[in-house]
Amino acid sequence: MKHIAFIFSLVVLISMMAIIITNNMEKVPKRLLSVQKYYSYLYEEDLEMKIPLYINDIDHPLAHASSYDVILLSNPDEHKMIQMELSKITYGYEEMYLNEKFYQMTLHLELPNLGEDFLIEDLVMKVTLINGDSYEISLGVLSLMSTYSNSDALEWSALEGRKNETLFISRLKTITIEYTTCLKEIDTIRIGIDFEVDFSVEQDQIVLTVFDQYILMDDVPIIIFYSDGSIQTIANFRYMFDYEILKDSGMLITPYALN
C-alpha cells in the first residue's frame, strides 16, 4: 500500500512540475508581417485586390474573414481613404523567417470603381475586428486606374515576365509582349499611374524594362499610349510567382505584435 501511495505521489509531483514548467516557458509572441508592394490595378468589373500577409498563429482572429468589421485603405493622415469589402481569405505556403514559421494569408478585397485615377503612395490598411481590436498595416503603394482603351492597334498573343536574377531580392525586371501586328507608333507605356517604363519594339515582341524598385511588384496592367493620342490597355496579369518572399525581402518587411 505504501508503495502504491509513493508511486501515486510521485506521479502527482511530476505532473505538477510539468505544469509549472509549461506555464513558465516563454511563449512565442503572436506576430504579423507585411511586405512593401506596388499594388497597381486597371479597373474592370469584379476586380479584386489581393493583399498577402504573413502570420505565425493561424488561429488568430486576423486569419479569419468572419472576424473583420471594417477595412480602410488610406494614407497615414487619412487625407485619401476608401472603405473596402473583404470577400474572403485564402491560405498559401508556409515560410520560415528568423527561425519562426509563418503562414501566408491573402486578403481578397473588392475594388470599387471610383471613376477616376486614384493613387496612395504611403498605403496603410486600417483594420478593425468585431472584438474591437484594431491594427494599422503598412502595405506600400496603391495605383487604381480608370483608363479605358480606345484603340486595338496592337494585336498581342502572349505575355511573360522575368525576374532580375542578379539581385538577392525578388524584382520584376522585364515584361515581354508577343504580338503579330502593331499598326501605330508607341509613345509611352505605363504599368501604374506614376510608373512609366522603358521599352523596345522588336520584330515580334515588345520588351518592357522595369527599373529596380524599393518594393515588390508582380501583378500589373499595361497602358500603351500611342503617338496619335489613342490608348490601348492590357488588363492585370501576374508576371511573377515567388514562394520565398520573406527570405528575399529583407528591409521591405514590417513586423507587428498581435493582441
Side-chain angles (χ1 to χ4, degrees), residues 83-100:
Q83 184 166 340
M84 308 295 290
E85 294 294 330
L86 176 65
S87 60
K88 62 182 177 180
I89 294 178
T90 56
Y91 309 97
Y93 56 90
E94 299 174 6
E95 188 173 349
M96 296 299 296
Y97 179 71
L98 299 180
N99 296 320
E100 282 186 52

Side-chain angles (χ1 to χ4, degrees), residues 26-51:
E26 183 177 356
K27 295 183 179 179
V28 176
K30 298 178 181 180
R31 276 191 281 265
L32 181 80
L33 305 176
S34 68
V35 182
Q36 299 295 295
K37 184 176 177 181
Y38 193 91
Y39 294 90
S40 182
Y41 298 95
L42 179 65
Y43 183 78
E44 57 183 305
E45 191 174 355
D46 299 325
L47 182 63
E48 279 190 332
M49 180 179 182
K50 299 177 183 178
I51 300 176

Side-chain angles (χ1 to χ4, degrees), residues 178-232:
E178 294 184 10
Y179 71 94
T180 53
T181 58
C182 185
L183 303 177
K184 295 182 180 181
E185 180 183 357
I186 299 175
D187 182 32
T188 58
I189 298 179
R190 295 179 185 172
I191 56 175
I193 292 174
D194 62 345
F195 207 125
E196 185 175 319
V197 294
D198 283 354
F199 66 93
S200 61
V201 180
E202 302 174 12
Q203 183 175 3
D204 58 357
Q205 62 183 19
I206 302 171
V207 179
L208 285 56
T209 301
V210 182
F211 291 112
D212 298 337
Q213 293 297 306
Y214 60 93
I215 52 181
L216 296 179
M217 180 185 304
D218 52 23
D219 184 342
V220 297
I222 297 174
I223 302 91
I224 302 172
F225 297 86
Y226 294 110
S227 297
D228 66 356
S230 60
I231 298 173
Q232 184 170 353

